[in-house]
Amino acid sequence: MSKSLFLKIVSDVEAYDEWFQEGLDGRMKKSFTPLQKVTSAIKQLATGNPPDEGDEYLNMSERTSRECLEYFCETVCKRYGGEFLRRPTSHDIALLYQAHEDRHHLPGMLGSLDCTHFVWRMCPTELRGQYMRGDHQYPTVMLEAVASQDLWIWHAFCGPAGSQNDINVLQQSPLFLAQRNGTAPNCPFQVNNHLYKRGYYLTDGIYPTWSVFVKSFPYPHDPNEKKFKRQHEAARKDVERAFGVLKSKWGILNRPMRSKTVRKIRSIVYTCLILHNMIIKDDGRAIAPVHIQDPPVEPVFDDTAYTELIDEDTHWRLKHDLVEHLGSLDLPHLEVDSDEE
């Protein structure tokens, strides 16, 4: 995080929440400055160390450090969530289409969808069975996210119990809520002279065969299918790279969570995602750095939208068109070896 971005966050947080403003304590002495409070919160997010770390060096008590983190997370989510955890607008989708077609040669791609787990150290005893799974030694909380090629997080849904799988999380997720209530932007795309109504996400094999998901071939035989499998796996690494960057940059996500409620864990995770996107924009790497809002639309629930989302025929037709599209391109790095054939 650059110094200018850090100072901007300090200024915005101080103006938004009076708790961060410098005042007088019970002894009529000056309290900690906004710079000290925000520094304590970001340091806890970045290192994952306990809040009593600054007892001796900063003379800041454990309770004050914990309050700094909680108030900072709440303020950042309220102040920046509307811009840096926004759903893609029509302007954003047009830029995502262009960037992914230039980089991955996949027209109509919105991003990559996947889930990850965060260890919950202070999980209550009565909830451990709900938040544990056989392949995890400790209770975990899940995060469903969509990432684009620049590692920007376009969708985040945190809080499902770790005992669930990706399909269970998808059934609870608000990922397609805008499509179902009619507020999603209308952004069709064309592949192989066929027009499709909505963009799609790259997923792994566990996800269902919906029209908005594109999965790889488990056992490809045709050379074009092998080429598509290579390109799909290379492009789907975007969300895995995003998870790796998040957990390496924000140590609190890579260490067992000490929060005692899922609400506080969700606030911490969303804060890390917002700061992650802010850093990408500040570095100049964002595909869609400017937030241009669409005109407001009155929500109207549409039953046909769900039928279109889960249409398997559209899924296979789109997959076939993408295979033919990649097969028609001259991409030396995707050519299949003779031994592989």
Side-chain angles (χ1 to χ4, degrees):
M1 181 183 296
S2 64
K3 181 179 179 180
S4 59
L5 177 59
F6 172 75
L7 294 178
K8 178 182 181 300
I9 293 175
V10 173
S11 176
D12 291 346
V13 167
E14 179 184 5
Y16 191 88
D17 192 345
E18 63 179 7
W19 189 86
F20 288 93
Q21 299 172 4
E22 188 175 2
L24 301 176
D25 59 13
R27 301 173 299 168
M28 300 307 292
K29 293 186 177 182
K30 285 188 176 182
S31 63
F32 290 103
T33 64
L35 193 66
Q36 291 174 305
K37 294 177 180 178
V38 174
T39 301
S40 173
I42 292 183
K43 187 176 181 181
Q44 292 179 66
L45 292 174
T47 62
N49 292 338
D52 60 355
E53 184 184 24
D55 270 356
E56 298 180 359
Y57 180 66
L58 296 176
N59 291 327
M60 181 180 287
S61 67
E62 178 183 356
R63 175 182 174 180
T64 305
S65 298
R66 188 183 301 111
E67 289 179 348
C68 287
L69 179 61
E70 293 179 3
Y71 281 105
F72 178 77
C73 292
E74 293 178 4
T75 305
V76 166
C77 291
K78 294 177 182 177
R79 173 65 180 82
Y80 298 111
E83 178 182 357
F84 291 97
L85 272 185
R86 66 182 186 269
R87 295 180 180 274
T89 63
S90 56
H91 176 261
D92 298 332
I93 291 177
L95 295 177
L96 289 173
Y97 282 173
Q98 184 64 39
H100 289 146
E101 185 170 5
D102 294 341
R103 177 69 177 179
H104 298 311
H105 310 287
L106 295 173
M109 173 183 167
L110 292 173
S112 305
L113 173 67
D114 205 359
C115 294
T116 188
H117 292 255
F118 303 115
V119 178
W120 188 9
R121 177 182 178 183
M122 303 300 292
C123 177
T125 304
E126 63 271 16
L127 297 179
R128 292 182 70 89
Q130 180 180 354
Y131 284 83
M132 287 190 67
R133 203 167 70 180
D135 56 343
H136 291 88
Q137 188 177 0
Y138 304 102
T140 59
V141 177
M142 296 187 68
L143 167 69
E144 179 189 70
V146 171
S148 54
Q149 190 272 329
D150 59 347
L151 306 188
W152 186 287
I153 306 295
W154 289 102
H155 160 76
F157 175 56
C158 181
S163 60
Q164 306 180 50
N165 58 26
D166 295 3
I167 299 179
N168 304 137
V169 177
L170 176 65
Q171 293 170 347
Q172 309 169 44
S173 170
L175 177 60
F176 299 112
L177 182 62
Q179 282 80 357
R180 298 198 64 184
N181 62 22
T183 59
N186 184 21
C187 297
F189 68 97
Q190 192 170 5
V191 183
N192 203 22
N193 295 326
H194 290 159
L195 187 66
Y196 293 92
K197 189 174 181 180
R198 299 179 181 88
Y200 57 86
Y201 302 99
L202 302 185
T203 61
D204 53 16
I206 192 175
Y207 283 90
T209 53
W210 289 3
S211 63
V212 287
F213 294 149
V214 171
K215 303 190 292 184
S216 179
F217 292 98
Y219 305 105
H221 300 288
D222 185 73
N224 287 341
E225 292 181 359
K226 294 180 180 180
K227 184 184 294 187
F228 172 78
K229 179 179 175 66
R230 287 189 177 184
Q231 189 66 12
H232 179 282
E233 292 175 349
R236 209 187 68 80
K237 289 179 182 177
D238 292 342
V239 67
E240 305 292 351
R241 290 168 48 226
F243 290 152
V245 170
L246 277 171
K247 292 186 178 182
S248 62
K249 183 180 297 182
W250 306 105
I252 196 169
L253 302 180
N254 203 28
R255 302 177 67 173
M257 295 279 189
R258 288 183 295 271
S259 301
K260 295 186 177 181
T261 63
V262 176
R263 183 187 65 82
K264 292 183 179 180
I265 294 177
R266 187 183 295 116
S267 178
I268 290 173
V269 172
Y270 288 160
T271 300
C272 293
L273 296 178
I274 291 172
L275 295 177
H276 167 80
N277 287 347
M278 293 179 71
I279 293 173
I280 291 178
K281 178 180 177 180
D282 185 64
D283 291 344
R285 296 184 284 114
I287 293 176
V290 181
H291 182 201
I292 300 178
Q293 297 183 357
D294 291 329
V297 179
E298 189 68 22
V300 178
F301 188 78
D302 186 8
D303 285 333
T304 62
Y306 179 71
T307 306
E308 295 174 355
L309 289 173
I310 65 174
D311 186 13
E312 293 190 11
D313 293 337
T314 305
H315 168 87
W316 292 111
R317 185 167 60 251
L318 172 60
K319 198 170 180 179
H320 175 74
D321 287 340
L322 289 174
V323 170
E324 290 192 356
H325 171 74
L326 282 175
S328 64
L329 300 178
D330 184 19
L331 303 174
H333 65 285
L334 292 180
E335 290 300 329
V336 181
D337 300 333
S338 56
D339 296 340
E340 201 171 333
E341 291 183 7

